[in-house]
Amino acid sequence: MEGDSTKAKWADLEEAALHFHRYPTPGKLEIQATKALGNQRDLALAYSPGVAAPCLAIQDDPATAADYTARANLVGVVSNGTAVLGLGNIGPLASKPVMEGKAVLFKKFAGIDVFDIEIDAPGIDNMVQTIAALEPTFGGINLEDIKAPECFEVEEQLKARMSIPVFHDDQHGTAIIVAAAILNGLEFAGKAIEDIKVVTSGAGAAALACLNLLVLLGVKVDNIWVTDRHGVAYKGRTEEMDRWKDPYVKDTNARTLSDVLPGADVFLGLSAAGVLKPEMLALMAEKPLILALANPNPEIMPDVARAARPDAMICTGRSDFPNQVNNVLCFPYIFRGALDCGASAINEEMKMAAVRAIAALAREEPSDVAARAYSGETPIFGPEFLIPSPFDPRLILRIAPAVAKAAQETGVATRPIADMTAYMDKLNRFVFRTGLVMKPVFSTAKAAVSKRVIYADGEDERVLRAAQVVLEEGIAQPILIGRPHVVEVRLKRHGLSIRPGRDFELINPEDDPRYRHYVDLFIELGGRRGITQEAARTMVRTHTTVIAALALKRGDADAMLCGLEGRFARHLRNVDLIIGPRAGVKDHELSTLSMLISQRGVLFLTDTHVCVDPTAEQIAEMTVLASEEIKRFGIEPRAALLSLSDFGSRDTQSALKMRQAAAILAKIAPDLQCDGEMHADTALSEQLRQRVYPHSRLKGEANLLVFPSLDAANITLTALQATLDALHVGPMLLGTDKPAHILTPSVTSRGVVNMTALAAVEAIHKAQALQPAG
């Protein structure tokens, strides 16, 4: 049964992946212009005749290509498709989705542009010749998914021929993370690196790169034992031996992994599932470090290893266990540092700098910003936290400068960074402009005990698809409201494997045992606001938002989502009536916050759906509530109160209201970066703001736009969403007593998943706040 369940999940994921890659536009990448071409002069500057000027400048001084072209921020991800993930030699064309994925990671994590280059070049000489010829185009080359041992030779020859960084991530990315994990594991175990015994299972590109880096760190070659599918690498063996394995060959009678494992301090697995048996772990030394990195199934599952050796420290390549060895921890940031200083190579010192930066980050005491990035969790250095999360926003701040500094110290930086403080500030600004803003929310939802999220629109296809994702990802426990026969038919029609009663709770509005209790509660809450007994009985049978809100109020759920059908105002009336505002919301006035995620970054807008013409006091309160919500994303809010007036340029009623709201906020939230009244362009440009009013309390670009009216907010939201092709997360209903959100009919299933994670995290924080201190 478990095997059938796994197959079904894989089939669902496979179908979803195909749909994801095909719609709305095939693939994962596009090219966008960075200069506006709005008139004839722009065209003349961008192309003929103006383009001749930078061409001639580069001819005179090739280094100026970094000033006049995108080359200094452009990496080529190159593969011949001979060793793609776990798929093997599938060829260059079939490897393209993987290379596009790598390009996306470069862009999202480090702001680096990528052309993915898939070449039909199976031989070493052919590959080297083809890739070397690309040097004028790129600032660096990332080799990807090339089979061993050819990959060693290809990289070695390219590094000798090219004057830009060449980095085979399958080798060195893995090696850097493994080395950082081992450094920290040894520190926790109290062992010296020169004394440890290392045993590998697997001797491919990644494994050998790991061993070579460990030797540089101080592991003795005599203490390293290599095994692969042919057993121990012993003197005289002929099967699959090459010059890269030769340094680790031993003159020994040992032939199997179990022969060489006794006394091992570190097991490094880059081979196949199930290779390391539980009984073998008894052979290892005290406090062993087990790196079982085969994917998707490791050499030994962590729970099995933990049962056999409770004192073991365990790393895998999987995101659902602690200590994930993931190349994304380093390769974007290594290239970021290398490109920014114009490095001509990525040398061993730069790799070592990355290793030490990653290891040190795991030992750091998290700052307030970092703690928020982990969504309230405080990771503590130890057996289950030897390496940072791949989504720790501090990675780029630690690794890129360390790599750039090492490049400068070793003489390979052609454009040394003169002002490291200014460089750090630039990196810091990038961290909070990425589209990964939802990641900390998902991490918290998955790490905590799953909260029950009830969906009023349980029959809707978008909710059904979202519920499957929510269950697969462990984000929440879905409760759907819908008629059983309708839900069953639609699940089958859409090819979804989840089923009511087995995977999720289903509330049948036509026949639920809690009906009488819900009716009584509704009358109690709404009897003085026009809800008669007959109306209550009818609405509890027919109005799913009412049912969801009553379930939440009664404690049958921890959070709710509604609004996929019908008018926002109608849903709001019922949520306000049943759930109501939380204690401390002064005017008992709810508001909403919307988030837009685009290539430009993340922007929050309030109030986009509730208050038609808020007072200055209401604007101040909704700004404070919005700021609290923004902090859940690990982002420091910077609020701009918008108006047709720019710091006193007009004295209209609306401008005076926003000016008064700014004054109130200065008193009730003195630590909040906030100012107004101002124009939108002044809010989004510190340079412009300095010209208009240099004494503003707001520094940097605003990330929270506060509007004087619902008209202004809603029009701006919909216009920006369309023009920026932005992902809308929200609206987030602020000020409710319990987590309740009213979505809009235009929401996608992806939007439902995002809001589910946010609602679950709000429920987690609500539960934590109710726990007694100590």
Side-chain angles (χ1 to χ4, degrees), residues 452-728:
R452 301 161 299 167
V453 177
I454 189 167
Y455 302 83
D457 303 286
E459 296 177 0
D460 192 287
E461 176 189 353
R462 292 164 293 177
V463 169
L464 295 173
R465 291 190 179 278
Q468 175 135 341
V469 174
V470 165
L471 284 163
E472 289 175 352
E473 296 293 318
I475 296 168
Q477 298 175 29
I479 303 171
L480 275 58
I481 300 175
R483 294 161 293 177
H485 65 281
V486 175
V487 170
E488 287 280 5
V489 167
R490 292 183 180 178
L491 286 171
K492 291 177 182 177
R493 179 193 304 162
H494 301 308
L496 300 174
S497 62
I498 57 173
R499 291 294 179 268
R502 184 190 70 190
D503 302 302
F504 62 90
E505 181 184 348
L506 182 64
I507 293 179
N508 180 4
E510 297 175 344
D511 182 21
D512 188 88
R514 292 163 291 194
Y515 171 73
R516 289 182 179 276
H517 299 291
Y518 285 1
V519 170
D520 291 342
L521 179 59
F522 196 24
I523 294 170
E524 178 187 339
L525 295 169
R528 292 182 180 273
R529 295 175 63 179
I531 302 298
T532 65
Q533 290 187 16
E534 187 59 35
R537 284 193 289 267
T538 300
M539 293 180 75
V540 175
R541 284 285 190 218
T542 61
H543 202 301
T544 56
T545 294
V546 169
I547 300 171
L550 289 168
L552 178 59
K553 183 73 173 180
R554 193 169 176 264
D556 297 334
D558 302 303
M560 68 169 282
L561 298 179
C562 63
L564 276 73
E565 299 291 341
R567 298 290 183 182
F568 187 96
R570 184 185 178 198
H571 295 291
L572 179 63
R573 281 195 300 271
N574 289 309
V575 170
D576 191 21
L577 171 65
I578 298 169
I579 304 301
R582 77 184 193 203
V585 176
K586 294 179 182 176
D587 295 322
H588 294 275
E589 189 70 55
L590 304 179
S591 60
T592 61
L593 176 69
S594 286
M595 176 169 65
L596 293 178
I597 304 174
S598 70
Q599 291 295 325
R600 188 184 184 281
V602 177
L603 193 62
F604 295 89
L605 300 87
T606 193
D607 166 29
T608 53
H609 285 79
V610 177
C611 298
V612 176
D613 185 17
T615 65
E617 289 77 14
Q618 287 173 330
I619 288 170
E621 184 170 72
M622 70 175 63
T623 303
V624 171
L625 291 173
S627 299
E628 291 175 2
E629 192 73 13
I630 290 170
K631 289 179 180 179
R632 294 189 198 277
F633 298 94
I635 296 175
E636 197 63 41
R638 296 187 299 275
L641 277 59
L642 302 187
S643 171
L644 58 82
S645 172
D646 209 14
F647 291 106
S649 64
R650 301 281 293 275
D651 286 332
T652 65
Q653 183 177 354
S654 173
L656 292 172
K657 178 173 69 173
M658 299 306 281
R659 199 177 305 165
Q660 183 184 354
I664 294 170
L665 281 164
K667 292 179 180 178
I668 66 172
D671 295 331
L672 173 64
Q673 274 208 54
C674 176
D675 211 343
E677 79 287 5
M678 70 180 80
H679 288 171
D681 55 352
T682 305
L684 298 174
S685 169
E686 184 171 24
Q687 184 179 7
L688 179 58
R689 197 181 320 122
Q690 285 293 316
R691 291 204 297 267
V692 175
Y693 182 60
H695 305 294
S696 173
R697 293 197 302 125
L698 178 64
K699 305 301 179 186
E701 291 185 12
N703 54 23
L704 170 59
L705 304 183
V706 184
F707 295 87
S709 70
L710 184 58
D711 277 348
N714 196 268
I715 290 168
T716 303
L717 169 66
T718 52
L720 286 177
Q721 187 178 358
T723 56
L724 295 178
D725 191 24
L727 171 66
H728 176 214

Side-chain angles (χ1 to χ4, degrees), residues 31 60-61 86 91 98 120 153 170 194 366 394 560 634 638 687 742:
I31 294 175
D60 292 340
D61 181 4
V98 178
D120 188 4
E153 191 68 46
D170 296 331
E194 61 270 15
R394 297 170 296 172
M560 68 169 282
R638 296 187 299 275
Q687 184 179 7
I742 305 167

Side-chain angles (χ1 to χ4, degrees), residues 410-430:
T410 55
V412 297
T414 63
R415 299 188 308 276
I417 297 169
D419 188 343
M420 193 60 72
T421 301
Y423 179 57
M424 289 289 292
D425 185 57
K426 177 182 175 182
L427 294 176
N428 224 332
R429 290 198 304 273
F430 169 78

